[in-house]
Amino acid sequence: MKLLVLGGTAWLGHEIARHAVERGHDVTCAARGRSGAVPGGASFVDIDRDDREGLWRVAGGRWDAVVDVSLQPGQVRRAVRDLRNARYYLFISSGSAYADQGPAGQDEDAPLLPPLDADIMDTMEAYGPAKVACEQAVVEAFGPARSMIARAGLIGGPGDGSGRTGYWPLRFAHPSDPSGAVLIPEGPDLPTQVIDVRDLAAWVVTCCQEQRGGVYNAMGESRSFADHLAAARRVARHEGPLVTADAQWLHARGVGEWAGPRSLPLWLSDPDCQGMNARSNKRALDAGLVLRPLEETLEAALEWEEAQGPDRPRRAGLTRDEERELLAALSG
Ligand SMILES: NC(=O)c1ccc[n+]([C@@H]2O[C@H](COP(=O)([O-])OP(=O)(O)OC[C@H]3O[C@@H](n4cnc5c(N)ncnc54)[C@H](OP(=O)(O)O)[C@@H]3O)[C@@H](O)[C@H]2O)c1
């Protein structure tokens, strides 16, 4: 298969290209090259998709499949125009495309947000509408049989630069408090749903090989927060105490949820957000998505975090000092 990855220099695109090379495909990655290098065995073509004619270097290729990780509607509208001779187009979308993040168990037929009209998404608030606009451009140009929309849920595992899936195994492996205590939020039954980047990438390549059409929630198994933490503790061999704080107490001290600095990652207490971690992935599983056990994902995330240096500034979670202070406040 002659595969064009629009991207391939960052996390997921790189992993997709790597899998495809490993399976013996002829892989080209097209990007600016600012986010990193492409995997060994793949060719790199320097393009700038913000340039209206930026795809000219790859437009003439006879691509069996194109994979696109963009989030800018204008980039995708121009790509489907310039690559219309490709046999197949797979777009990486997101669960953020859905209009309602509250109810659990929703499948691919759940209503979507209105699409973004503009070509450029300039704030992350427009991320969901931008992904919907990208999806529409792809399906309009290629039709449902020659295109696939993979709506990814939270992606985790080795290389997770957002710091979300590495936080808990790393924290359990290196508790900030000499007692070994780790601060966790209340909410054992809150859902979490993580797909390993390697599982997602492998399935994307398979779908390109099969030229599979349709829309799929490309998501992991939904597990309770308590289950997720238990898996992270097993991986980190943590046997110290867990110290639980409730949402009100944590919020009052400026501790955030889900992601970002001074947060407890993956924790999402708002009932209007529970559904984003509890979507149905049945259609994708029926279509060949294979999910590894969560422990393997967290083990690889931990290994990656350790290799980056556990004390480096991270994009998500509490610093060791922040956690120690909060634990002291709770015990005092
Ligand atoms: N992380 C999650 O949990 C999560 C959840 C749901 C969905 N997703 C989706 O998963 C995908 C993640 O993909 P990723 O990790 O490979 O990519 P990414 O971090 O979103 O990077 C974007 C890619 O596009 C390239 N790019 C950006 N601007 C460009 C331009 N003007 N011209 C040419 N290339 C450009 C970048 O390369 P250069 O900078 O080198 O040009 C990079 O390879 C995204 O579609 C994201 O929306 C992620």
Side-chain angles (χ1 to χ4, degrees), residues 138-205:
V138 170
V139 177
E140 270 164 31
F142 281 81
R146 283 173 58 225
S147 67
M148 179 172 143
I149 306 298
R151 291 189 187 129
L154 179 69
I155 305 170
D160 179 5
S162 80
R164 287 174 290 191
T165 55
Y167 177 78
W168 290 108
L170 186 69
R171 175 56 80 235
F172 285 125
H174 301 281
S176 65
D177 196 80
S179 69
V182 169
L183 177 63
I184 64 166
E186 201 167 65
D189 299 329
L190 295 171
T192 61
Q193 192 167 28
V194 176
I195 184 164
D196 191 299
V197 66
R198 296 164 295 175
D199 296 341
L200 177 54
W203 185 57
V204 162
V205 175

Side-chain angles (χ1 to χ4, degrees), residues 11 154-171 194 228 258-267 298 301-302 304-305 308 310 312-318:
W11 188 32
L154 179 69
I155 305 170
D160 179 5
S162 80
R164 287 174 290 191
T165 55
Y167 177 78
W168 290 108
L170 186 69
R171 175 56 80 235
V194 176
H228 188 101
W258 185 244
R262 200 174 169 84
S263 71
L264 289 172
L266 308 191
W267 170 46
L298 297 179
L302 174 58
W304 184 80
E305 289 277 359
Q308 307 309 300
R312 79 189 198 288
R314 306 181 71 263
R315 286 177 59 200
L318 300 175

Side-chain angles (χ1 to χ4, degrees), residues 177-297:
D177 196 80
S179 69
V182 169
L183 177 63
I184 64 166
E186 201 167 65
D189 299 329
L190 295 171
T192 61
Q193 192 167 28
V194 176
I195 184 164
D196 191 299
V197 66
R198 296 164 295 175
D199 296 341
L200 177 54
W203 185 57
V204 162
V205 175
T206 301
C207 292
C208 289
Q209 289 167 187
E210 295 171 349
Q211 309 250 304
R212 174 178 289 282
V215 181
Y216 297 86
N217 285 339
M219 301 180 181
E221 294 299 359
S222 187
R223 310 261 303 247
S224 71
F225 198 66
D227 261 16
H228 188 101
L229 293 183
R233 290 182 84 201
R234 278 194 294 279
V235 160
R237 298 185 173 76
H238 178 257
E239 289 176 355
L242 298 179
V243 179
T244 306
D246 67 35
Q248 206 186 355
W249 190 90
L250 289 165
H251 292 162
R253 281 152 189 84
V255 178
E257 304 191 14
W258 185 244
R262 200 174 169 84
S263 71
L264 289 172
L266 308 191
W267 170 46
L268 207 46
S269 66
D270 182 349
D272 290 342
C273 295
Q274 301 306 303
M276 69 180 257
N277 284 324
R279 293 200 175 276
S280 168
N281 59 3
K282 182 176 183 311
R283 194 185 287 179
L285 294 176
D286 289 348
L289 171 65
V290 178
L291 299 172
R292 71 192 66 214
L294 178 61
E295 279 80 353
E296 274 185 33
T297 302

Side-chain angles (χ1 to χ4, degrees), residues 7-13 31-35 47-50 69 75 92-94 127 131 152-155 164:
T9 54
W11 188 32
L12 175 62
R32 297 164 305 179
R34 290 186 196 170
S35 301
I47 60 161
D48 186 349
R49 300 180 70 179
D50 292 330
V69 299
Q75 292 186 354
I92 305 293
S93 187
S94 162
Y127 176 65
K131 283 291 197 185
L154 179 69
I155 305 170
R164 287 174 290 191

